[in-house]
Amino acid sequence: MTEYAAGKNLDRLTPREIVVELDKYIVGQKKAKRAVAVALRNRIRRIKLDPEVREDIAPKNILMIGPTGVGKTEIARRLARLANSPFIKVEATKYTEVGYVGRDVESMIRDLMAAGVQMVKEEMQDQVNAEAEKRAEEALLDLLVPRPGKKRRETKPQGPLIKPVGTFSFNNDNGAGIMGTAIQVGIPVMRNPSGEDASVVSAGDFSSADGANNADESADAGNAGTKNADPTREKFRQWLKEGKLEDRTVEITVNQNPQFPSMEMMGGGFEDLESSLSGIAGFFGGTKKTKLVTVKRAREILIAEEAEKLIDRDRVSDEARRRVEETGIVFIDEIDKIAVRGERGGGPDVSREGVQRDILPIVEGARVNTKWGQVDTSHILFVAAGAFNVSKPSDLIPELQGRFPLRVELDSLGKDDFLRILTEPKNALTKQYTDLLGTEKIDIEFTPQAVERLAGLAAEVNSRLENIGARRLHTIMETLLEELSFEAPDIAPKKVTITEQYVNEKLTDLAMDQDLGRYIL
């Protein structure tokens, strides 16, 4: 695997080209695009430096300020996808300081590491997919045409006897509350089975209508185990490749990981308890389950299992941890909701400021324990965002303000921006609805006047009601095409032209009725 998978060469991602790529999906917001482009380019520059110099260069975290629906999240998400970086979006409001109800702030790094592991794992699976398909084909042929004399392998223990037996809670020395689940671990029973593998479906179970004679197949099967290819096995191999056996049913045995109840831990004494339970389950070998599935589904299951065997898990963890530490991006949304307004005092503001103080060491650089090892957050790029329509960035604690040196204010969207959003991006809304209804053989076409009218209505409703940015377009488009979407299966095939008159008939009265529009638009 290359150091950075995906077809992009990071050296070619100049700030200008990064902005061009972002322009394909996000309208306007040039300041924000330039800021994230420079931040990404600085990370590329840092990777090229000597290790001694590299460690002293911290990422320039970004604070985006702007109303909802103007593209803050999309900019960060598209940037991560462009650089093939592990990315996670979190809401600041779901965290709380220790002692209050909420998630531990370190869980954002564990979630980021999980995303990195999944990313690397998928890339490695693509590399071994050809070999996994070959192995899955042989395993599938073993199910269809068992080899004579094949003995059943000694089975692994039939699952760990692990079950929750209750919950516990107590206070540690620091006075923080700790809650968890008590478990009971039993010793599994070893079994020594003998005889043929019961999970094999014999070739004789297939009718002669498939083009094979059972008597000939039995005679051919007698030659199995020799160095020469088994004619029956090769015949079934050919049928598999031609797709003639896709709907046949076979019996396979699959590994099944035990499921544990979800739990939230408060305090530092029992970090990653769920990961520990999973490790115990893995030590005992997991559980086995026999399933009757079609050949098509069996192939998918076997390919996944074989790919899992071919992947080096340690290599996955090491590469994922390196990517997370060097190129990971954490997007913290709604950070203005944990800002303390005005004079800092008691009440719920104590919890808000506590969240900021808990987030601070993560942003500054700390080592977080995950089930894949410790992750250093010193060089992870943090992008925070908030509307700040009630509070101000200065309401954040000074230490946290200093960790977000780049401040970018995003502009509110107007009619011209909505017009561009409806037509220019690759995933423009008009294109999305055209494709969706096209699956029902409804060919819809938007006239330029209709699109302009939709943009004007969105801007008008945003000015009178709550300004929710581009999300208003989704509401308007759904309302506009609701009737057509409902009737599409009954009137297809049909061509429908969305004109300005059509838009006025469906939306103008609704937009003008402020009481009704408040609920619908």
Side-chain angles (χ1 to χ4, degrees):
M1 176 180 293
T2 58
E3 186 178 41
Y4 294 99
K8 290 287 184 181
N9 183 351
L10 287 180
D11 289 339
R12 299 180 60 186
L13 286 178
T14 65
R16 192 179 304 278
E17 289 177 346
I18 293 170
V19 171
V20 170
E21 289 295 322
L22 293 176
D23 283 340
K24 294 178 180 179
Y25 300 95
I26 304 154
V27 169
Q29 313 303 352
K30 291 183 179 181
K31 294 180 181 178
K33 291 176 183 176
R34 289 171 64 93
V36 297
V38 170
L40 178 59
R41 187 63 181 180
N42 282 336
R43 305 188 83 182
I44 299 172
R45 293 164 179 159
R46 176 184 168 275
I47 292 173
K48 298 179 180 180
L49 297 174
D50 293 334
E52 297 81 6
V53 181
R54 185 189 310 168
E55 290 301 315
D56 296 329
I57 299 178
K60 304 304 184 288
N61 298 321
I62 302 170
L63 178 61
M64 294 185 181
I65 305 167
T68 183
V70 296
K72 299 188 295 293
T73 305
E74 193 65 15
I75 287 174
R77 181 180 289 113
R78 293 290 176 183
L79 183 74
R81 189 173 302 176
L82 184 64
N84 194 40
S85 300
F87 173 80
I88 189 72
K89 174 184 180 293
V90 299
E91 304 286 341
T93 51
K94 71 179 180 180
Y95 300 104
T96 184
E97 67 175 321
V98 175
Y100 290 79
V101 177
R103 295 195 66 187
D104 178 10
V105 293
E106 290 186 352
S107 64
M108 70 173 71
I109 305 302
R110 291 193 287 271
D111 292 342
L112 181 66
M113 185 62 187
V117 168
Q118 184 64 26
M119 174 186 291
V120 175
K121 189 175 179 181
E122 289 176 356
E123 292 173 3
M124 289 189 175
Q125 283 177 338
D126 289 340
Q127 292 185 348
V128 302
N129 190 59
E131 179 63 24
E133 288 180 355
K134 291 180 182 179
R135 295 191 180 193
E137 183 179 88
E138 295 300 325
L140 196 54
L141 286 172
D142 287 341
L143 294 176
L144 296 170
V145 191
R147 303 174 190 269
K150 180 181 178 183
K151 294 184 179 181
R152 186 176 181 180
R153 294 174 297 178
E154 182 178 341
T155 59
K156 293 182 178 181
Q158 297 300 310
L161 304 178
I162 302 176
K163 62 179 181 179
V165 295
T167 59
F168 62 86
S169 63
F170 57 87
N171 295 329
N172 60 18
D173 296 337
N174 298 326
I178 298 178
M179 295 191 304
T181 300
I183 62 170
Q184 178 181 356
V185 180
I187 299 177
V189 178
M190 297 294 292
R191 298 179 182 175
N192 296 311
S194 61
E196 294 286 338
D197 191 336
S199 66
V200 173
V201 177
S202 66
D205 291 338
F206 294 90
S207 64
S208 57
D210 290 324
N213 183 279
N214 290 337
D216 293 339
E217 289 173 3
S218 299
D220 292 337
N223 297 324
T226 65
K227 293 183 179 179
N228 297 329
D230 182 356
T232 304
R233 189 178 181 88
E234 295 305 312
K235 195 174 297 183
F236 271 80
R237 189 191 304 276
Q238 184 64 28
W239 289 343
L240 280 176
K241 292 180 179 179
E242 295 174 356
K244 294 181 178 180
L245 306 178
E246 296 295 281
D247 296 330
R248 294 292 186 178
T249 302
V250 293
E251 185 178 85
I252 63 173
T253 302
V254 296
N255 293 321
Q256 194 172 37
N257 294 326
Q259 299 295 322
F260 299 101
S262 60
M263 62 191 74
E264 291 291 343
M265 302 299 298
M266 290 181 290
F270 291 88
E271 198 61 62
D272 281 343
L273 179 58
E274 290 180 84
S275 301
S276 300
L277 295 180
S278 299
I280 296 173
F283 175 77
F284 287 112
T287 59
K288 298 284 187 178
K289 182 179 181 181
T290 301
K291 300 175 68 175
L292 282 173
V293 296
T294 62
V295 168
K296 181 178 180 181
R297 175 58 180 156
R299 182 186 292 107
E300 296 172 356
I301 295 173
L302 291 171
I303 289 176
E305 288 188 351
E306 294 299 332
E308 187 73 25
K309 295 176 185 176
L310 291 168
I311 291 175
D312 185 347
R313 294 188 179 183
D314 292 335
R315 187 183 173 196
V316 170
S317 299
D318 293 342
E319 173 66 12
R321 183 165 56 252
R322 187 193 65 78
R323 285 200 195 184
V324 166
E325 291 181 346
E326 298 292 334
T327 68
I329 299 176
V330 176
F331 182 79
I332 306 176
D333 202 6
E334 306 292 350
I335 198 169
D336 58 315
K337 302 299 188 296
I338 61 171
V340 181
R341 297 182 295 273
E343 294 292 331
R344 292 182 173 86
D349 286 347
V350 175
S351 177
R352 291 177 183 171
E353 186 167 329
V355 177
Q356 296 181 56
R357 296 194 179 279
D358 286 346
I359 291 177
L360 181 61
I362 305 296
V363 179
E364 286 182 332
R367 289 192 172 272
V368 177
N369 290 321
T370 73
K371 62 182 178 182
W372 298 279
Q374 284 192 337
V375 176
D376 186 357
T377 68
S378 300
H379 300 287
I380 294 175
L381 178 64
F382 289 88
V383 181
F388 288 100
N389 48 10
V390 177
S391 58
K392 306 181 297 295
S394 58
D395 290 331
L396 296 170
I397 60 175
E399 298 87 346
L400 192 58
Q401 292 182 48
R403 285 296 167 176
F404 289 90
L406 297 182
R407 307 285 177 86
V408 181
E409 187 170 354
L410 284 81
D411 303 321
S412 298
L413 301 178
K415 177 182 176 180
D416 292 339
D417 297 313
F418 290 144
L419 184 60
R420 295 180 59 194
I421 291 172
L422 287 170
T423 55
E424 290 185 9
K426 282 188 174 181
N427 57 345
L429 280 179
T430 51
K431 298 176 184 177
Q432 292 180 25
Y433 281 95
T434 300
D435 293 339
L436 283 173
L437 289 173
T439 62
E440 301 276 7
K441 297 183 179 180
I442 300 295
D443 183 15
I444 63 172
E445 180 182 355
F446 291 87
T447 65
Q449 295 80 8
V451 176
E452 186 173 357
R453 180 58 177 155
L454 287 170
L457 283 173
E460 180 184 344
V461 175
N462 270 350
S463 64
R464 288 193 289 104
L465 305 178
E466 192 72 23
N467 186 0
I468 60 174
R471 293 188 177 93
R472 185 72 67 186
L473 290 174
H474 291 271
T475 307
I476 286 180
M477 290 292 289
E478 280 293 325
T479 306
L480 173 70
L481 299 175
E482 179 182 12
E483 184 178 347
L484 184 59
S485 297
F486 183 84
E487 296 179 350
D490 302 323
I491 62 176
K494 186 176 181 180
K495 182 174 182 179
V496 179
T497 301
I498 308 298
T499 63
E500 183 178 4
Q501 181 180 357
Y502 186 96
V503 174
N504 290 332
E505 290 176 357
K506 300 292 183 181
L507 297 177
T508 300
D509 292 341
L510 184 60
M512 297 304 295
D513 188 339
Q514 295 190 19
D515 293 334
L516 189 57
R518 191 181 305 275
Y519 291 99
I520 299 179
L521 296 180

